[in-house]
Amino acid sequence: MSKKAIGIDIGGTGIKGAVVDVKSGKLLSERFRYPTPEGGSPKAIANTLRELIKNLPNPQGLPVGICFPAVVKNGVTMSAANVSREWIGLDADRLFQRELKTTVHVLNDADAAGLAEAKYGSASKQKGLVIVTTLGTGIGTALIYNGKLIPNSELGHLEISGIDYETKAAFSAKERENLTWAQWTKRLQTYYTALEALLTPDLFIVGGGVSKEHDQFLPLLKLKTPIVPAFNRNSAGIMGAAYWAKKHTTD
Ligand code: BGC
């Protein structure tokens, strides 16, 4: 049985992909990155994926897992954050299957990052509830309970004082408002304290590009729950998506 799958991570600004050994989570090819096409329409994104896959070694017949910034139920994208509204209610599994002519399984981007941590990373030996948060354009969340993913938690949109808190605490807010690390960390403190009060997790894992700079903000947070950076920094989405595709494909 082949242990390979293609993992693709679609974000608001970039689309990344590679071939993954789903047993170890290791990337078996170079990681390719293309800019997300302006407007993020399904057709334009499918074209970019076709281009990206052409670069990969022997992609024929490999299942493709795609993670995407939306609630995804049975392959249907139910929302659209930072991409075209055409995605809402779209059977994305079917669309990509038709466009890429191979088996495709789509899942939420933070869930993919969560799976990568559960299978290959910081949550692999953790019992109880792990909350994986990705701090990027938005805030993505994945709930992992005793190693199992509970999909489609949308806790980035937690309302605090009537405000959808991803607009305050995502990394994009730090950049947009030119916040210092200390100013941004104050907001993270409010956010993680609220999550902690509602869910009493056993571990927080922080992913997203900014987790490379975790030294700048994680030590400033005062929480009851341990909080650690993601193990699989930039490739978590790719790894989790590939794992998801393989898990849903029988060969
Ligand atoms: C979306 C989530 C997504 C997160 C990270 C949020 O705005 O609602 O579905 O996981 O951004 O991309």
Side-chain angles (χ1 to χ4, degrees):
M1 189 178 80
S2 157
K3 300 278 187 312
K4 290 190 225 165
I6 294 172
I8 293 188
D9 182 351
I10 300 177
T13 55
I15 299 182
K16 300 173 279 188
V19 178
V20 179
D21 173 342
V22 289
K23 214 155 177 234
S24 64
K26 286 213 169 64
L27 301 199
L28 298 173
S29 73
E30 194 185 321
R31 205 176 70 128
F32 290 91
R33 185 184 189 281
Y34 283 67
T36 306
E38 193 65 39
S41 77
K43 192 85 193 158
I45 287 187
N47 288 340
T48 306
L49 296 194
R50 214 177 298 112
E51 284 306 306
L52 190 155
I53 290 172
K54 270 195 211 151
N55 296 301
L56 300 174
N58 304 316
Q60 304 80 4
L62 294 182
V64 178
I66 299 177
C67 69
F68 190 78
V71 171
V72 186
K73 261 214 135 68
N74 304 320
V76 176
T77 43
M78 317 282 287
S79 59
N82 311 305
V83 282
S84 152
R85 296 187 64 79
E86 283 175 55
W87 288 95
I88 300 174
L90 185 84
D91 189 335
D93 273 10
R94 222 175 52 202
L95 169 92
F96 287 131
Q97 230 132 240
R98 200 175 56 223
E99 295 286 331
L100 305 176
K101 301 193 173 37
T102 188
T103 311
V104 179
H105 292 282
V106 182
L107 80 163
N108 170 265
D109 56 357
D111 283 347
L115 281 174
E117 293 305 314
K119 299 297 157 196
Y120 318 115
S122 300
S124 60
K125 294 195 176 70
Q126 179 69 47
K127 290 253 176 311
L129 179 64
V130 179
I131 305 183
V132 180
T133 55
T134 60
L135 304 174
T137 312
I139 296 183
T141 60
L143 300 183
I144 310 282
Y145 187 70
N146 285 343
K148 275 227 168 284
L149 172 72
I150 305 165
N152 290 314
S153 59
E154 283 284 320
L155 296 168
H157 298 292
L158 195 65
E159 270 194 27
I160 303 178
S161 309
I163 299 168
D164 175 343
Y165 217 67
E166 92 166 5
T167 62
K168 300 285 265 185
F171 180 59
S172 58
K174 177 179 186 305
E175 294 202 302
R176 194 175 52 243
E177 298 181 46
N178 253 318
L179 302 176
T180 62
W181 288 107
Q183 287 168 326
W184 185 52
T185 308
K186 264 197 174 166
R187 296 182 182 187
L188 293 179
Q189 178 71 47
T190 304
Y191 179 64
Y192 286 106
T193 304
L195 280 184
E196 194 169 53
L198 290 172
L199 292 159
T200 320
D202 296 282
L203 179 68
F204 283 122
I205 298 180
V206 182
V210 68
S211 65
K212 282 199 278 295
E213 296 182 80
H214 58 92
D215 285 349
Q216 302 279 3
F217 60 100
L218 290 190
L220 307 179
L221 292 171
K222 292 190 175 45
L223 299 163
K224 290 183 219 125
T225 313
I227 185 161
V228 297
F231 183 76
N232 304 297
R233 307 277 152 75
N234 252 335
S235 301
I238 294 175
M239 292 158 67
Y243 172 84
W244 184 254
K246 194 69 199 160
K247 184 171 139 79
H248 289 89
T249 310
T250 41
D251 56 1

